[in-house]
Amino acid sequence: MPDKRTVLTYCVTGIIIALSIIIYTEYGKREKRTPSVPCDYCRQATAPIAARGTLDDSESLHYLHAKSNGTLHSDAIKLKNSRYYVVNIKTDETQPYAVPELKQLLDLLGMTFQNELAASGLPKFRFEITAAMSLPDSDCRTALYQYGATADIAAGTYLYRGKRITDKNADTALYNSLIKLRQECRCVVTRQSDSNGYVVTAVKLKQ
């Protein structure tokens, strides 16, 4: 029969081992739950950009980021209708292609837009993309859109279950979504003076 001191030693050792397992397990869970730190686009962009709460960026800023973010036409990604937007190119001089960063930006805008809609009790409207990368042989090949980092986004009407919907609250939701992304320096945005739409250029992070 083991004496009392031996039994006590076994008990203490067992408790220490059990506590070590619990602490290690909980620490591992917390490590998994720790969210990743988002990239700081305002500091890590390939071209200078500062956070803003307005949608009136200059054309020169669009060009600056489009050039640093551009690609060859052969490397572009085709834009297709998604749960967030409908591709409806309305000019013969552009086609539905974009650099990966612009595709990612449009998807992020779509998610942000639908979250804003949900917060206002509205359905999941989709916005329209009306212009994207310019054709290599078009008259506007030297314009902003040649780089594939810029797109036009329509406002005023939205798509829902095959129908066009006009909703002022949806306009506000799209505006607020763009403001949020612009404040995070994820894009360069200008409201078009001749329409209700926006010109959006993606911002690229340094490699």
Side-chain angles (χ1 to χ4, degrees):
M1 293 290 291
D3 56 25
K4 292 182 179 180
R5 181 175 297 179
T6 302
V7 173
L8 181 61
T9 301
Y10 287 156
C11 290
V12 172
T13 302
I15 292 171
I16 292 173
I17 293 173
L19 288 174
S20 298
I21 293 172
I22 292 172
I23 292 172
Y24 178 81
T25 303
E26 287 301 313
Y27 178 79
K29 288 181 180 179
R30 291 182 182 181
E31 284 294 300
K32 292 180 180 179
R33 289 196 297 264
T34 301
S36 59
V37 178
C39 295
D40 187 348
Y41 279 74
C42 297
R43 294 185 180 182
Q44 301 177 26
T46 54
I49 186 170
R52 297 188 67 184
T54 58
L55 304 179
D56 56 357
D57 287 313
S58 66
E59 185 176 10
S60 61
L61 189 62
H62 279 279
Y63 269 100
L64 182 63
H65 283 274
K67 288 179 180 179
S68 66
N69 197 357
T71 185
L72 298 175
H73 280 72
S74 59
D75 297 329
I77 298 173
K78 187 171 184 178
L79 296 174
K80 299 179 181 180
N81 294 348
S82 73
R83 60 187 295 187
Y84 304 121
Y85 51 78
V86 173
V87 182
N88 185 18
I89 304 300
K90 295 186 177 182
T91 170
D92 294 334
E93 295 183 326
T94 69
Q95 54 186 346
Y97 287 88
V99 296
E101 288 78 11
L102 178 57
K103 171 68 167 56
Q104 293 167 8
L105 173 66
L106 293 171
D107 289 343
L108 178 60
L109 174 59
M111 287 187 285
T112 306
F113 176 50
Q114 290 193 359
N115 287 339
E116 288 282 341
L117 291 171
S120 299
L122 296 172
K124 294 182 178 180
F125 297 142
R126 294 186 292 171
F127 58 80
E128 279 187 289
I129 299 171
T130 57
M133 178 179 279
S134 62
L135 297 167
D137 57 350
S138 70
D139 292 336
C140 66
R141 61 183 178 276
T142 59
L144 176 63
Y145 298 87
Q146 70 173 312
Y147 303 104
T150 304
D152 287 358
I153 296 174
T157 60
Y158 306 90
L159 284 299
Y160 182 66
R161 293 182 177 179
K163 297 182 179 179
R164 289 188 174 276
I165 307 295
T166 301
D167 192 298
K168 294 295 184 182
N169 291 325
D171 292 339
T172 301
L174 181 59
Y175 175 84
N176 289 341
S177 300
L178 287 166
I179 285 288
K180 180 177 180 180
L181 298 184
R182 183 61 187 84
Q183 288 175 330
E184 295 175 356
C185 299
R186 290 178 178 267
C187 55
V188 181
V189 189
T190 304
R191 185 194 290 268
Q192 294 175 318
S193 59
D194 57 346
S195 70
N196 291 325
Y198 302 91
V199 179
V200 178
T201 298
V203 171
K204 184 177 181 179
L205 287 172
K206 295 177 181 177
Q207 299 296 325

